[in-house]
Structure formats: structure tokens, C-alpha cells
Amino acid sequence: MTVKEKQIICDQKEKYELSSQAIEELKSLSENRTIIATLTTRENLRYPRDKRMVEEKEKIVGILGGMGPEATVDLMQRIIDLTPALDDIDHIRCIVDNNPKVPSRIKAIIEGDGEDPGPCMADMGERLESWGADFLVIACNTAHHYYDAVQDAVNIPVINLIDLVTRHVKATFPEHGKVGMLASPAVAITQLYTKKFRESGIEDVWPDSYYQELLFKIIKEIKKGNTDIRIFNEYKKVCENLLHKGADIAIVGCTELSALGGELPINSIDAAQILAMEIVRRAKKKVELPS
């Protein structure tokens, strides 16, 4: 190797922080006078020290689904709709455990005599991680009561939907002190949103008891596959009750209600849409290289 070639390697090692293996490859390649071509490839380089934006390898999302099944499919459709794609390959890889056999959250939380869903969800998380997921999401608001069981079982991040929605409300609607809740009674009992909102100075407003019971019946009907106009009209009555109670925006905090969709009489933030947006952002994330 000539003195000039040695100097090139030293210069490039300083500029690009080459690994020892890459340096040895360069020394070998220099005998065939291919060193300059090698230095122009990124395969052997950690990163250039000049600051720039690069796209990381696309991440794979693992979805704990089946709570309920249609809501999981709805989330997947939202991910597809939000992904900038010109062909199949541009879409995000999703590994989905659409498992309707997860023990009932209603029996466990509301009725108080059901099997704990936590171990089943933890097992789902472990399997999704072993199948190649880079991060996990739980496609159910109520099931976030068992978030810790899932996160403790895996070595990859689990997006917390409740935290995500709370940050979104605080950042996007800082002037709204009262936020209506359209969710299962189980979400009210566990205070999933109540606790997080309180930390951010937000008051959660729930429907009056009659309308909360009506909303619970609506959620059950959606789970049965009943999404006719009568169901939607009753849903609108619940929204109107929140308006009368002083809430001018509401969280759609049940993925069954998200799947129902429709134009509501109250401004709403759909938790499923916020989750889908975060999935796309994380999977397609662009990062700034260190300087």
C-alpha cells in the first residue's frame, strides 16, 4: 500500500468513523486499486459527520388485536390510508394477532369475575416480538388497563395510546379545559384517561348515566355487527349530551365506535386515527444523523 493510500484511509476513518473490519477490507481492496470506489459506498460507513437527514430501515409494527376483530381491521385500513404509497412495497409491514379469544375485559373490569386478560396479552406481545415486530400497539382503549403486562413481557417499545391521545389533546387544543369522553364504562372505571388528563390539567366529561348506558349498548351492538342508522342516531344523542354538559370536543375512546365512524354533532378526536398516524410515523421515521 502506498503512503498516499494510507493517508486516504486515515482521512476517511476520521471523517466517517469506519469500523475496524471496514478498514481491513479497504486495505485488501486497495491492492486492486478499488479503494476510491469502496469509499463512496455507504455499506461500510457508520455515518458521515456532517449533519443530514436519512431514512432508517422501515420498522415493523406488531398489533395486539381482536378486541374486537372489526376494530382491528379498521385500524389496519387507517394505516393503509395514511401511508404514502405508490405500490405494494411502499406500505408498512404489519404483524397482526387478531385474537378474539383474549379474555373479556368487560367481565374482568365491569363484572369483576372474569379471567385476567393480562397474561394472554403478554403472550401475544412476546409472540409478535419473536415474529419480528420492532414495536407494538394495542388496538383497544380498554385493554390499555393491561399495558404494563405487555410492556414488561417484551424488549421492544409498546405505544401507549392513552399517553398519545393525551399529548395530542394538550398540544392541539390547549384552550379546551373540558373534553368529552365517548368510551366504554370500563375506561371510566379504570380512569385510564381521567388520570392522564388530570396530570395535564384537562377535565374529562362523561355522559350522564342514562346516556353512558346507552353508549355501552351501542358498543355491544357494533360488536354484534349491527351498524344501522338507528344505532348511529342513538350515538349522536350521546354526543349531544356531552355538548349540553359543556364539552365542545370529545375523544372517541373506543375502537368499536371508531369503526362505526360517521359525522358527529360534536368535534371529535378519534383515538384510533391518532394511533394509526403514530404507527405510520414510527414505521417510516426519518432521523437526523449525529454531528
Side-chain angles (χ1 to χ4, degrees):
M1 182 183 300
T2 67
V3 174
K4 184 176 181 180
E5 287 171 339
K6 288 181 180 178
Q7 184 60 48
I8 290 175
I9 290 175
C10 291
D11 291 346
Q12 296 301 326
K13 181 176 181 180
E14 171 62 23
K15 181 179 179 182
Y16 291 101
E17 294 192 347
L18 295 181
S19 66
S20 298
Q21 181 181 357
I23 291 296
E24 291 304 315
E25 291 175 358
L26 287 176
K27 288 178 180 179
S28 174
L29 288 168
S30 68
E31 297 176 3
N32 296 319
R33 300 297 186 266
T34 56
I35 184 170
I36 301 302
T38 304
L39 289 171
T40 62
T41 69
R42 291 296 302 273
E43 295 175 353
N44 294 322
L45 308 181
R46 291 187 188 172
Y47 53 80
R49 288 191 172 182
D50 55 315
K51 188 178 288 187
R52 65 185 67 180
M53 295 297 292
V54 297
E55 191 170 341
E56 285 186 333
K57 179 183 177 183
E58 187 173 295
K59 289 183 169 58
I60 301 168
V61 58
I63 301 177
L64 284 78
M67 303 170 277
E70 186 175 359
T72 304
V73 173
D74 175 71
L75 175 63
M76 293 176 66
Q77 185 61 57
R78 291 171 187 269
I79 295 169
I80 291 170
D81 292 342
L82 288 168
T83 302
L86 298 177
D87 204 348
D88 294 347
I89 198 170
D90 299 320
H91 283 281
I92 293 166
R93 183 178 178 188
C94 302
I95 305 176
V96 184
D97 189 348
N98 199 4
N99 181 10
K101 307 306 181 184
V102 177
S104 170
R105 284 73 57 208
I106 300 305
K107 289 183 178 180
I109 298 171
I110 297 179
E111 298 174 10
D113 59 357
E115 180 184 349
D116 180 4
C120 177
M121 293 175 57
D123 179 68
M124 292 167 68
E126 289 176 337
R127 291 173 186 272
L128 288 166
E129 181 180 19
S130 70
W131 294 334
D134 295 306
F135 66 97
L136 303 178
V137 299
I138 303 170
C140 173
N141 288 261
T142 303
H144 276 72
H145 183 56
Y146 308 99
Y147 171 88
D148 288 342
V150 179
Q151 183 61 88
D152 291 346
V154 299
N155 298 304
I156 55 177
V158 183
I159 294 177
N160 189 310
L161 175 59
I162 312 302
D163 288 346
L164 195 65
V165 172
T166 302
R167 289 196 300 268
H168 179 82
V169 172
K170 188 67 175 177
T172 311
F173 303 99
E175 71 281 7
H176 292 289
K178 284 186 173 183
V179 176
M181 290 302 306
L182 297 165
S184 160
V187 175
I189 291 170
T190 55
Q191 296 191 325
L192 286 170
Y193 280 102
T194 303
K195 293 175 183 177
K196 293 297 182 181
F197 278 11
R198 189 179 298 140
E199 293 171 4
S200 297
I202 302 169
E203 178 185 351
D204 54 324
V205 179
W206 291 80
D208 290 328
S209 57
Y210 168 81
Y211 291 99
Q212 183 62 58
E213 184 61 31
L214 177 60
L215 185 62
F216 192 29
K217 291 178 181 177
I218 292 168
I219 292 170
K220 289 180 176 179
E221 288 298 314
I222 297 170
K223 284 182 177 289
K224 295 176 185 177
N226 184 2
T227 56
D228 61 28
I229 189 63
R230 179 183 61 84
I231 295 298
F232 186 70
N233 286 337
E234 290 183 340
Y235 183 27
K236 289 198 293 186
K237 291 178 184 177
V238 178
C239 296
E240 289 165 356
N241 178 247
L242 288 177
L243 284 171
H244 293 153
K245 296 189 71 173
D248 48 7
I249 62 169
I251 304 296
V252 180
C254 174
T255 47
E256 264 69 42
L257 297 174
S258 298
L260 180 61
E263 186 173 346
L264 303 178
I266 188 171
N267 293 325
S268 62
I269 300 169
D270 195 322
Q273 187 73 2
I274 299 300
L275 181 58
M277 291 167 61
E278 180 65 8
I279 289 169
V280 174
R281 188 191 72 81
R282 290 209 186 193
K284 296 284 190 181
K285 186 176 179 181
K286 292 183 179 180
V287 297
E288 189 176 82
L289 292 172
S291 58

